[in-house]
Amino acid sequence: MQNPECVVILDFGGQYTQLIARRVRECGVFSVVLPYTTNIDEIQSHKPKGIILSGGPSCVLDEGAPLCDAGIFSLGIPVLGICYGMQLTSLLLGGGVAACSLREYGRCAVNMDVTDHGLLKGLSAESNCWMSHTYQVEKLPDGFSVIAHTHNCPVAGMADDARRIYGVQFHPEVTHTAEGRKVLQNFLMDICGFAGDWNMEAYAEIAVAKIREQVKDGTVLLGLSGGVDSAVAAALLYRAIGSRLTCVYVDHGFMRDGESDQVVDIFTKTFPVELVHVDASAQFFTDLAGVTEPEHKRKIIGRDFVDVFKREAKKLGTRDHFAQGTIYPDVIESGDVKGSAVIKSHHNVGGLPRELGFQSLVEPLRMLFKDEVRKLGVTLGLPESLVYRQPFPGPGLAIRVIGELTPEKVAIVRGSDKVLREEIAAAGLDRSISQFFTVLTGAKSVGVMGDERTYAYAVAIRAVTTDDFMTADVAQLPYELLGRIATRIVGEVKGVNRVLYDVTTKPPASIEWE
Ligand code: XMP
């Protein structure tokens, strides 16, 4: 399959490189991220209509600083250098770079000097941008002129319109740069001439072609977790290789109400792959008996998960490749932005591909962000009820039971979670609250039900709003809704006589209780 027209992004190790790729995708343009060492022939083999040079942590003046082939500037293809990429452009074309007298870091007002055409067309004369630099362009290369500056940085943007080579010191790809999207759009649409009609369906086609190339006529084993990422990876693999995909779904017994059935249903009806559904709850409960310390619980769950998965994989016999739904934030969080396999910590199957003799690891979502994975899932035909699920921890409801785990206690969390989910959905709030769930606190207290004295558990409601789950605000559920939820939980869930509402932000609390 022929790749669509693309922009090549040369990666100089910047933390925002994949964010550039993402923003480019948002403009409806396909991109290929290549290491800065890629030689000119290979770059040309992608037939790019534009090249973007990313930022990076190095200083262009250092010995051994990452350099690209200067030949890219003579291909007649538009080039945009961002931060390090702009300084490198300057250096390779005969300009000069020097240390800033005053470093700029964070939000910064940038004066846009040329806004009637080219890269900065349509931008405000002064625009808030994100800057992070210790060095700056001091002398322009021949043919260039300044198109933006700041109070401290005389060249915050430069252009050679004749050769269509541009540079910006600020980061147009981050949301803190208010008009960053316009800059990328100007480059991609006006300067490079992209149509901007690339979309998730096209992404799926390319991903399918890549999987076929990697797997050839081999077979693939994938671990379904019940979450969004592995489900989307499975749907993509199914499109690529059909019945040569086998999925193993290890059910640890800590899923929410109806979730296991939904997974099995989708993957036997909509995507009729071979699905091995292992009900391993007995093993998990046995191994967790008497354990109260949260980290200890997590370790046992992780270890059992790997054990069960290995056992099932061995039973199934040979499969050639191993697949998983690693997404880009997992890659970043693991500190592994450069290549080798990354395994989600809760499904800690690290080393498993090698141990079980798989030829390779297939990770088709490795470069996508969560919301893009969701869009892809919908494109592939997965139901929105699965694709738009809120985040759910790998160890599941187990970490929402404080103290020792028993099937009865898990049933209390599952039952109260079901009520909460139903009521929040009925109130139309399920998409606006980032995460909501119930927790079985360890506290028991006296109550009265009918004429009977009760001595039962207190359940807590947790509902938060957050963008990144690193910090979170309390979602302010309406009081009547809280009352309805409390009445239903106490009435419908055996073993509960009190409902609490957690009004703590993160920090100081975490989102989960554990
Ligand atoms: P905390 O409790 O640390 O949670 O504030 C932040 C977010 O991470 C989720 N979480 C997990 N996700 N595996 C996951 O995939 C896990 O083991 C895990 N533990 C917590 C949590 O639900 C929240 O969204």
Side-chain angles (χ1 to χ4, degrees), residues 478-500:
Y479 205 77
E480 308 85 80
L481 175 63
L482 282 170
R484 217 161 37 240
I485 294 166
T487 307
R488 277 197 60 195
I489 290 179
V490 173
E492 295 173 30
V493 184
K494 208 165 152 258
V496 182
N497 68 356
R498 213 176 275 273
V499 176
L500 317 173

Side-chain angles (χ1 to χ4, degrees), residues 247-262:
C247 294
V248 173
Y249 173 47
V250 177
D251 186 351
H252 45 30
F254 309 128
M255 298 303 278
R256 286 172 289 201
D257 186 75
E259 223 162 24
S260 290
D261 291 345
Q262 191 192 16

Side-chain angles (χ1 to χ4, degrees), residues 124-145:
S124 315
E126 187 182 292
S127 194
N128 272 331
C129 298
W130 192 257
M131 303 271 264
S132 175
H133 68 121
T134 315
Y135 290 83
Q136 63 191 24
V137 171
E138 192 194 44
K139 175 176 167 283
L140 290 171
D142 285 346
F144 279 80
S145 57

Side-chain angles (χ1 to χ4, degrees), residues 298 344-346 391-395 399-400 435 437 469 506 510-512 514:
R298 277 179 175 270
K344 277 198 158 182
S345 66
H346 65 278
F392 189 58
I399 60 167
R400 294 177 183 169
Q435 199 172 7
F437 52 87
F469 297 87
K506 171 185 179 176
S510 52
I511 295 176
E512 300 287 347
E514 313 208 25

Side-chain angles (χ1 to χ4, degrees), residues 25 78 91 98 115 123 176 178 188 215 228 245 250 266 304 309 333 369 375 377 397 409 416 421 478 495 509:
R25 287 195 288 272
L91 206 70
T115 56
L123 267 74
H176 303 286
L188 295 167
V215 169
V228 179
L245 170 68
V250 177
I266 291 166
D304 277 5
F309 194 89
E333 273 164 29
F369 290 80
K375 276 191 205 137
L397 301 179
K409 286 187 184 171
S416 52
R421 283 198 285 150

